[in-house]
């Protein structure tokens, strides 16, 4: 419902602007296009996942989770495209560099490219690419722009401080095998976006953390390998005048 901009259906007028933002971004429409272009193997995995969710909903003999009871809503059948839509929302929650884009634009109103580089230095060990100095252009076309209003219009991704992954080599562990630690640093939510799952089938045993809608384990291990995931400070958003 979040990705489709449908929260106001049961939360009322207070979230209409939030729904409008998500519909303007076109998250669910994008998910529909992405699903149409998937290969058959991936489509089959998402369809099988949806069938499993809906089989549970059709045959459940226990109460729904507390959030459904508190909000007084019934879960709708899960669609394969819902998995993609929620994946897009996860991507949004891990993307917040539009604020940096806006800050750089504000600086360009008074500073040239070299001064901006001094004000926003590169990450240690990296160098900034040479760009044409577009500060005069930004000043000319941005005179009438209300950047504070724009900042208030764009939905906040709510990204937290960061995340990390690290490994200890096997020769430093008592077992002789490497150790993997992974901390995604995602904010706590109710209901939680992570849950633990153990998938067991002939030739398959995998356990770890996964996300609602994901037909697999996102962070976890098999009997032979372990893997983690971390994502911080990627340049994944652009603002256009």
């Amino acid at each position: 419902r979040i990705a489709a901009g449908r929260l106001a259906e049961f939360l009322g007028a207070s979230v209409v602007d939030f729904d409008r933002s998500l519909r303007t971004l076109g998250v669910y429409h994008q998910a529909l296009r992405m699903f149409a272009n998937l290969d058959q193997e991936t489509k089959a995995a998402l369809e099988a996942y949806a069938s499993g969710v809906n089989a549970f909903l059709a045959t459940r003999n226990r109460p729904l989770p507390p959030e459904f009871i508190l909000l007084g809503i019934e879960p709708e059948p899960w669609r394969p495209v819902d998995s993609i839509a929620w994946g897009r929302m996860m991507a949004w929650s891990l993307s917040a560099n539009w604020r940096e884009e806006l800050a750089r634009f504000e600086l360009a109103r008074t500073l040239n490219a070299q001064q901006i580089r001094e004000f926003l230095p590169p990450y240690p060990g990296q160098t900034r690419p040479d760009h044409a100095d577009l500060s005069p252009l930004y000043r000319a076309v941005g005179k009438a722009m209300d950047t504070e209003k724009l900042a208030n219009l764009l939905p906040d991704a709510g990204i937290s401080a960061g995340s990390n992954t690290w490994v200890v080599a096997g020769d430093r562990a008592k077992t002789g095998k490497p150790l993997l630690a992974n901390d995604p640093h995602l904010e706590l939510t109710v209901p939680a976006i992570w849950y633990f799952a153990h998938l067991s089938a002939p030739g398959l045993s995998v356990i770890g953390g996964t996300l609602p809608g994901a037909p697999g384990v996102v962070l976890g291990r098999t009997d032979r390998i372990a893997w983690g995931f971390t994502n911080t400070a990627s340049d994944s958003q652009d603002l256009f005048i």
Side-chain angles (χ1 to χ4, degrees), residues 21-33:
S21 295
L22 271 297
R23 294 193 184 204
T24 302
L25 289 172
V27 175
Y28 207 83
H29 290 294
Q30 183 188 45
L32 287 166
R33 292 194 297 269

Side-chain angles (χ1 to χ4, degrees), residues 14-177:
S14 63
V15 293
V16 166
D17 285 344
F18 183 83
D19 282 351
R20 184 180 289 113
S21 295
L22 271 297
R23 294 193 184 204
T24 302
L25 289 172
V27 175
Y28 207 83
H29 290 294
Q30 183 188 45
L32 287 166
R33 292 194 297 269
M34 292 174 69
F35 181 76
N37 291 320
L38 290 178
D39 60 86
Q40 289 304 313
E41 183 178 3
T42 306
K43 279 186 178 179
L46 294 177
E47 288 167 349
Y49 182 95
S51 296
V53 173
N54 295 330
F56 167 78
L57 293 177
T59 60
R60 67 179 177 85
N61 56 4
R62 56 191 181 195
L64 288 168
E67 56 268 23
F68 287 99
I69 298 171
L70 290 171
L71 294 172
I73 60 175
E74 288 283 328
E76 297 179 356
W78 189 264
R79 302 171 62 196
V81 70
D82 293 335
S83 292
I84 300 177
W86 187 244
R88 302 309 300 158
M89 291 307 302
M90 285 295 299
W92 173 264
S93 72
L94 293 166
S95 301
N97 71 279
W98 66 264
R99 291 187 176 277
E100 296 174 15
E101 305 268 335
L102 203 57
R104 189 174 294 276
F105 173 79
E106 282 286 287
L107 291 174
R109 293 184 185 221
T110 55
L111 305 179
N112 60 39
Q114 179 57 38
Q115 291 170 323
I116 293 174
R117 292 191 191 102
E118 295 172 0
F119 200 86
L120 298 174
Y123 194 80
Q126 293 183 347
T127 57
R128 294 247 184 241
D130 287 328
H131 294 295
D133 189 351
L134 299 179
S135 301
L137 174 65
Y138 291 153
R139 293 178 198 134
V141 300
K143 287 180 180 178
M145 281 189 62
D146 187 341
T147 52
E148 184 176 350
K149 182 178 180 181
L150 177 60
N152 291 331
L153 283 173
L154 289 168
D156 190 1
I159 195 168
S160 52
S163 55
N164 56 72
T165 302
W166 50 271
V167 179
V168 175
D171 59 9
R172 295 181 177 270
K174 288 184 177 180
T175 62
K177 297 179 180 179

Side-chain angles (χ1 to χ4, degrees), residues 90 93-94 159-160 162-163 183-188 193-194 211:
M90 285 295 299
S93 72
L94 293 166
I159 195 168
S160 52
S163 55
D183 181 2
H185 266 59
L186 297 181
E187 294 180 332
L188 295 175
I193 58 172
W194 291 105
L211 304 165

Side-chain angles (χ1 to χ4, degrees), residues 192-199 206-212 216-217 219-221:
I193 58 172
W194 291 105
Y195 66 96
F196 286 102
H198 183 194
L199 306 178
V206 58
I207 187 170
T210 187
L211 304 165
V217 172
L219 317 168
R221 64 173 178 84

